[in-house]
Amino acid sequence: MNERPPSRLEWPPAVLPDPDPEWAEYVAWLDRESAAGRDPEPMIWAGEQDEAESAWPTLPSFDQGEEADVLPPGALLAGLTDQAVRDLGRLADSELIGVLQATRRQIAREQYKQVLVTAEYGRRRRDAFQDALNRGVPAGCAPGGFPGEELAMELVTTRAEAGRRIDDALDLTSRLPQTLAGMAAGQIDEDRAGWIALYTRELCEADAARAEEILAADAPDLRADQLARKAAAMEMKLAPEAVRARSERAKRTGQRVEARREPSGNASLSGREMDTADVMASKAHIDALAMKLRAGGLPGPLGTLRVLALADLTQGRDPLDRLTARDSAPPESADAPDPDGWPGWGGGCDDPEDIDGDDSADAPAGSARPADPPSAPGRVPQPMPALINLIVPAGTLLGWSNVPAMAGAWSLLEADETRTTVSAAASHPRTRWCVTLTATDGTALAHACARGQHPRLLSDLEPQPPPARLAALLRRLSPTFTLIASDACDHAQAEDQYAPSRRLKHLVRARSATCDAPGCQAQAVCADLDQTLPWPDGPTEQCNLAPRCRTHHRAKQAPDWRVEQPVPGLTRWTLPSGRTHVTTATRYDC
């Protein structure tokens, strides 16, 4: 029988040096004050001098290798770090790092506690679900079937992140004792432990034990990405069939093109879960096009030229047509700056073998970055149908506000970008226009839709005062508004059918722009329109309908979940734990 080797990381730790009695008295007092909810002030000890500076007992040093620097996580270390941050000016640089490291040990210890709690929660839900299946209950009607969705609501995180936490916690407490001990000792944080859990999950017990012995010992000295790469390499070596199976499963279920917002305010576009060979081939093709654009005289660093090529390829244009357009344009001034020779930025990548080079890669961490080179001149996008929801505040569109617009659920658009995007959408016949009037608190009051090309939608509006601009815009769209139910429902829009009409869908989705489950940001336009009280007992009308993504729609139907909608747009979710969460109608920024 294979046995796991003994852990190299022990918890509880070895016996600590006893603090002096006076310090022990202070720590006990500090614990009592904290437990009572008070912020302890400096304690003046009897018989000492009156000056507060001399009243404190001497703190252990956080200098490298000293007592506090090697102290394991616990109440004593927490008290020492609390006191150290009260007067950081008296600490030497080495002691500052010691305090920083000490707080990291404390965080890892707290994450260890979270793992224990999450694992117990996951086991309870798993056992309840399995017991129901053993009794013949269909999976969709079995209690315990949505643990990730429940935990996501409580932790205000994504369902994927909550599910990952549960999986990792179950593995750490059942199969990875050395990694769990490292967390308890403050040596391995949650991020590193998660990579170990992921890449040992498909291994047999004996291989997982051998891999964990190496990974848990190395984890404290490796960056998280370095540990992840090492763990992945060990998995490929020990279980290549499992790696291939996981890759194929991810391609079947997770392939997608993903758009998201960059922290800078720009956006990104990526293909996820692609074949590695396809990614390499696509990247090589884009690189080659970028090199041709550069060789043809198109200005800009290679990174910018790659993005131009990608945008053209994904919008049905030939990137090399840019060279023809450039040749037919008037010559630029000889005094114009060359982006590749921008002062303080460095030249571009001239060596094809170094095509992924980054001129700023060698800049010291934390140093001031040189000014960015001038960006390429903007261009007006081609006419496009607004097939994703663009939520555009009227003030931003018409020029008297800077409230950002929303592009789907993933991007914010600043004012100029908003007007450019709307102008492009206005030139396409497939764009559908909807207008939602909001109250002073941002909730929806009324909604209407229009269709068709409006190429002059924004022209000749700005010289007028804001109210006249808005009135002119509405006249051009010619919408007919319908009231949205809020505090009460007059049943005016009730329909005697299971599936709501397009008009009723629009009213509900204007009221609630996202899934009404706590923390869920799935767009209402992509969600189910669900009757809170099931049809035919519940009517098809605004006071009983709400947008719910498919997963939360299914969770709501499970026997250990309860959902109520006492007034239109206000939903009370009662989770299997008995905890309740209330969501309300969307409040738009305007």
Side-chain angles (χ1 to χ4, degrees):
M1 180 177 178
N2 292 323
E3 295 183 354
R4 289 193 178 102
S7 174
R8 294 183 179 182
L9 297 164
E10 299 179 358
W11 185 262
V15 177
L16 304 175
D18 290 332
D20 58 70
E22 188 177 52
W23 177 249
E25 180 186 349
Y26 164 68
V27 172
W29 170 82
L30 186 66
D31 288 341
R32 290 194 301 272
E33 293 294 295
S34 298
R38 294 186 290 269
D39 185 16
E41 295 296 330
M43 183 175 176
I44 305 299
W45 298 80
E48 296 289 342
Q49 300 179 15
D50 292 336
E51 292 80 2
E53 289 293 331
S54 60
W56 285 96
T58 303
L59 295 176
S61 173
F62 281 94
D63 203 0
Q64 187 171 14
E66 296 296 326
E67 181 180 0
D69 187 52
V70 298
L71 200 63
L76 179 56
L77 186 60
L80 290 174
T81 54
D82 281 346
Q83 186 54 40
V85 298
R86 289 178 180 271
D87 187 10
L88 294 174
R90 65 183 177 83
L91 300 181
D93 289 356
S94 176
E95 293 176 296
L96 287 175
I97 299 300
V99 174
L100 187 62
Q101 297 283 18
T103 57
R104 293 182 69 196
R105 294 197 297 278
Q106 288 290 113
I107 290 171
R109 173 68 179 176
E110 294 303 313
Q111 290 171 338
Y112 156 78
K113 297 176 188 177
Q114 291 182 346
V115 164
L116 298 182
V117 174
T118 303
E120 176 63 19
Y121 161 83
R123 278 190 289 269
R124 292 184 186 184
R125 295 293 181 268
R126 181 188 61 190
D127 293 346
F129 185 70
Q130 190 59 51
D131 178 66
L133 295 183
N134 293 340
R135 290 186 283 108
V137 178
C141 303
F146 296 90
E149 287 71 23
E150 181 183 2
L151 193 64
M153 291 184 184
E154 297 291 357
L155 300 182
V156 195
T157 188
T158 64
R159 292 182 284 117
E161 171 64 13
R164 181 199 63 77
R165 283 175 174 262
I166 295 171
D167 290 342
D168 289 353
L170 291 172
D171 282 346
L172 287 164
T173 54
S174 62
R175 304 178 70 240
L176 302 170
Q178 297 185 62
T179 307
L180 187 64
M183 296 185 73
Q187 300 300 312
I188 300 177
D189 62 12
E190 180 185 38
D191 194 14
R192 290 168 174 79
W195 288 118
I196 296 175
L198 173 64
Y199 288 119
T200 58
R201 188 162 294 151
E202 304 295 336
L203 303 182
C204 68
E205 291 291 319
D207 286 343
R210 286 195 294 271
E212 190 209 10
E213 180 181 13
I214 297 171
L215 296 171
D218 291 346
D221 299 319
L222 295 177
R223 293 198 319 253
D225 62 309
Q226 292 174 317
L227 180 66
R229 183 179 291 271
K230 183 168 187 174
M234 293 185 70
E235 183 195 36
M236 288 182 176
K237 178 181 178 181
L238 296 172
E241 297 84 2
V243 174
R244 281 193 292 271
R246 185 178 63 227
S247 297
E248 290 301 319
R249 184 169 60 249
K251 281 191 287 188
R252 287 195 307 271
T253 62
Q255 282 194 337
R256 61 199 184 276
V257 174
E258 190 174 277
R260 65 174 60 189
R261 184 176 187 268
E262 298 280 14
S264 64
N266 297 314
S268 63
L269 180 72
S270 60
R272 305 298 302 273
E273 300 295 347
M274 296 174 61
D275 280 320
T276 301
D278 283 341
V279 171
M280 295 175 67
S282 296
K283 181 65 164 56
H285 182 55
I286 291 172
D287 288 344
L289 288 171
M291 293 295 288
K292 289 180 180 179
L293 292 175
R294 185 171 188 177
L298 203 66
L302 277 174
T304 299
L305 299 180
R306 291 188 188 103
V307 170
L308 290 178
L310 176 64
D312 286 341
L313 290 171
T314 54
Q315 295 176 39
R317 297 189 297 271
D318 184 351
L320 299 182
D321 287 346
R322 291 178 176 270
L323 298 179
T324 305
R326 182 179 183 275
D327 291 340
S328 61
E332 296 181 2
S333 168
D335 297 329
D338 178 5
D340 291 341
W342 191 251
W345 183 253
C349 169
D350 293 321
D351 183 358
E353 296 297 322
D354 188 30
I355 200 162
D356 284 319
D358 182 355
D359 299 320
S360 60
D362 297 327
S367 64
R369 187 177 180 183
D372 287 349
S375 58
R379 61 176 181 85
V380 177
Q382 296 294 315
M384 62 177 180
L387 299 180
I388 63 169
N389 267 17
L390 296 174
I391 300 176
V392 182
T396 304
L397 181 63
L398 299 177
W400 71 73
S401 172
N402 287 317
V403 175
M406 282 291 300
W410 52 270
S411 187
L412 298 174
L413 304 178
E414 52 87 26
D416 289 341
E417 194 173 16
T418 295
R419 288 186 282 273
T420 299
T421 303
V422 168
S423 295
S427 300
H428 200 286
R430 292 178 61 195
T431 295
R432 184 178 178 89
W433 301 90
C434 294
V435 179
T436 301
L437 302 181
T438 61
T440 55
D441 65 355
T443 57
L445 283 176
H447 184 77
C449 290
R451 179 187 290 279
Q453 285 178 289
H454 297 273
R456 295 179 55 80
L457 183 69
L458 302 181
S459 62
D460 304 325
L461 294 178
E462 290 192 4
Q464 307 175 76
R469 267 182 270 172
L470 179 57
L473 176 67
L474 293 179
R475 282 195 298 271
R476 291 176 183 182
L477 292 174
S478 300
T480 301
F481 287 97
T482 302
L483 290 178
I484 293 174
S486 54
D487 294 337
C489 187
D490 59 8
H491 311 295
Q493 305 301 322
E495 298 176 352
D496 188 20
Q497 57 188 19
Y498 169 72
S501 66
R502 185 173 194 172
R503 182 182 187 188
L504 184 53
K505 288 179 180 179
H506 272 241
L507 294 174
V508 175
R509 288 167 172 163
R511 182 194 71 205
S512 302
T514 61
C515 171
D516 73 342
C520 186
Q521 289 298 301
Q523 283 188 275
V525 71
C526 300
D528 298 337
L529 260 294
D530 177 40
Q531 283 102 344
T532 303
L533 184 63
W535 167 273
D537 297 327
T540 301
E541 61 179 344
Q542 293 188 56
C543 56
N544 191 48
L545 287 169
R548 291 178 187 124
C549 69
R550 182 58 54 87
T551 298
H552 285 124
H553 187 170
R554 292 173 55 231
K556 168 245 181 184
Q557 296 172 330
D560 47 350
W561 291 63
R562 188 168 76 254
V563 179
E564 304 161 286
Q565 190 175 186
V567 297
L570 188 148
T571 309
R572 181 182 297 111
W573 292 74
T574 303
L575 306 187
S577 65
R579 289 175 171 260
T580 60
H581 296 267
V582 175
T583 59
T584 58
T586 298
R587 294 181 184 271
Y588 295 94
D589 290 331
C590 52

